[in-house]
Amino acid sequence: MSNWLPLIATLFIQAMVAMALLSLPVMAPIAAKSLDVSPTLVGIYISLTYAGAMFGSLTSGTTVNRLGPIRVSQLGLLFCALGLSLCAVPSLPVIAIGALLIGLGYGPITPASSQILARTTKPSQMALVFSIKQSGVPLGAMMAGAVIPTLMLNINWQLSLIAVALACLIFAALSQPLRPSLDDQRQAGLPFELGTLTRPIRMVLGHRTLATMAACSFMFSMVQLSLTTYLVTYLHEDLSYGMVSAGLLLSVTQIGGIGGRIAWGVISDRWLGAQKTLMLLACLMALSALVTALLLPQLPLWAIWITLVVFGASAIGWNGVYLAEVARQAPEGQAGVATGGTLTFTFLGAVIGAPIFGMLSSLFGTYQAGFLALVVTSSLCASVLFKLKSTPRFSSPA
């Protein structure tokens, strides 16, 4: 099998689950009006999805080894499709259940793909390949920002969610031919025990670099999810942009994220290394969040585009470098477990970050307050990375 085929497959699976997760936030102003609730409640939706993702990530070490990474990816797409269908029901309790199911589907996707790519990628290309694969997240968000508002002009928001659910099912079916070659190392009789939930976390906390990567991903995810969750609503309500225009500007940040993920992967592999690259990204996040908070409706469109491209390139572009470093530091054959452990902290940042952003925005009556809080978060992460000293690769006890 070509080394590029696993990358292409994992890229598009990642894109579909990202689109599934972000479809409701993109339509938040319209859906909230239909449900007669505040758009800031979309932060609770994000919190619920990532709570489900945390559990899915913790169990991924065992499920990936037992079922195989392709089968786990297919199940993730199925959970996302079911969750989207429930989110189309105009009932907050049902939408909450749908959010949890989307999270359960989203959580295992990255550990599954890390298991595939760690096996099929040369060490010298790790950051680049992982960055390309992780560009599926902004690609999915870009599709959500570009497609969902247009869909809602022709059909209602509920049917738009159903359309994305059907796309998830199609991708689950298309990935089936890859299973014989990529799931050939699965251990069908591997037992699922309660201790498997804590094993990934214990692995991460037992190694300083993995623990630091997890802590930084916690803060980075707060910035990323706050940006992707609230940007459309911020542009629509505070800066008076139309829904389609605001959705397209969200896509602009995702274009920056896609380009950034690939560019940062090259920069990390060839020149700066993971630590310095992530520190640079933290500084760019802080600057971009500050400028975004100070945007005015009368600013020329090109200035807003530049701001959001840089914001996207940093706040959405960090994941590939981070995941490649986690896979590089993990014990041999345990990239999926290590990734699942660090992603628990990543998802926790999303669980906490989006509701805090919404709370601050409600408290001060403007989304600018939330973006200013992201300046503090990014600056703190830059400080942590500046103080981090290099450590040797994880070594398992004899």
Side-chain angles (χ1 to χ4, degrees), residues 24 27 45 60 63 96 136 138 147 149 153 165 187 223 239 272 298 319 323 357 370 382 393:
L24 192 59
M27 60 178 65
Y45 162 84
S60 63
T63 55
V147 173
L153 291 177
Q187 305 168 44
V223 178
L239 301 182
L272 294 183
Q298 57 266 37
N319 307 67
L323 289 169
F357 188 104
R393 188 180 186 276

Side-chain angles (χ1 to χ4, degrees), residues 9-25 45-46 49-50 53 69-84 98-113 133-144 161 164-172 175 224-225 228 261 343 347:
T10 54
L11 168 66
F12 281 100
I13 290 171
Q14 190 79 62
M16 278 314 307
V17 296
M19 185 179 184
L21 191 148
L22 291 172
S23 290
L24 192 59
Y45 162 84
I46 289 294
T49 58
Y50 278 93
I70 290 296
R71 176 64 84 222
V72 169
S73 298
Q74 290 174 316
L75 291 173
L77 287 164
L78 291 175
F79 272 112
C80 285
L82 179 58
L84 285 166
L100 286 170
L101 288 175
I102 291 172
L104 285 172
Y106 185 89
I109 297 298
T110 298
S113 61
K133 193 278 297 183
Q134 281 304 113
S135 67
V137 175
L139 176 61
M142 184 176 70
M143 292 190 299
L161 290 174
V164 180
L166 290 174
C168 288
L169 294 176
I170 290 171
F171 273 86
S175 64
Q224 179 179 343
L225 265 295
T228 55
R261 290 191 182 204
L343 282 177
F347 294 153

Side-chain angles (χ1 to χ4, degrees), residues 201-324:
I201 296 178
R202 285 186 278 112
M203 177 185 290
V204 169
L205 296 180
H207 187 262
R208 189 177 177 219
T209 299
L210 289 179
T212 303
M213 290 296 105
C216 288
S217 75
F218 170 82
M219 291 182 274
F220 282 168
S221 69
M222 294 179 73
V223 178
Q224 179 179 343
L225 265 295
S226 295
L227 172 64
T228 55
T229 301
Y230 287 104
L231 180 64
V232 170
T233 306
Y234 170 53
L235 293 171
H236 180 68
E237 296 195 354
D238 283 15
L239 301 182
S240 301
Y241 276 79
M243 279 297 297
V244 173
S245 297
L248 288 175
L249 284 172
L250 174 63
S251 295
V252 166
T253 67
Q254 309 308 319
I255 292 171
I258 292 171
R261 290 191 182 204
I262 297 171
W264 301 127
V266 174
I267 290 170
S268 176
D269 277 339
R270 295 189 180 181
W271 295 297
L272 294 183
Q275 178 187 339
K276 291 180 180 178
T277 301
L278 292 172
M279 183 174 67
L280 172 61
L281 289 173
C283 294
L284 288 174
M285 287 182 213
L287 179 61
S288 300
L290 177 61
V291 175
T292 300
L294 300 178
L295 290 178
L296 297 172
Q298 57 266 37
L299 284 175
L301 187 60
W302 63 263
I304 296 177
W305 273 60
I306 291 174
T307 299
L308 294 180
V309 166
V310 174
F311 205 168
S314 54
I316 305 171
W318 58 275
N319 307 67
V321 175
Y322 144 73
L323 289 169

Side-chain angles (χ1 to χ4, degrees), residues 112-171:
S113 61
S114 290
Q115 191 83 341
I116 293 171
L117 297 179
R119 171 184 166 187
T120 59
T121 305
K122 296 177 181 179
S124 61
Q125 298 176 332
M126 289 280 278
L128 175 59
V129 169
F130 274 72
S131 293
I132 292 173
K133 193 278 297 183
Q134 281 304 113
S135 67
V137 175
L139 176 61
M142 184 176 70
M143 292 190 299
V147 173
I148 295 299
T150 304
L151 269 179
M152 288 192 299
L153 291 177
N154 298 285
I155 56 178
N156 61 33
W157 63 273
Q158 291 102 327
L159 289 178
S160 299
L161 290 174
I162 297 298
V164 180
L166 290 174
C168 288
L169 294 176
I170 290 171
F171 273 86

Side-chain angles (χ1 to χ4, degrees), residues 14-69:
Q14 190 79 62
M16 278 314 307
V17 296
M19 185 179 184
L21 191 148
L22 291 172
S23 290
L24 192 59
V26 168
M27 60 178 65
I30 302 302
K33 186 176 181 179
S34 174
L35 296 168
D36 196 25
V37 297
S38 169
T40 59
L41 285 180
V42 72
I44 304 299
Y45 162 84
I46 289 294
S47 183
L48 288 171
T49 58
Y50 278 93
M54 284 176 62
F55 182 80
S57 178
L58 282 174
T59 59
S60 63
T62 298
T63 55
V64 168
N65 287 332
R66 181 173 181 172
L67 302 176

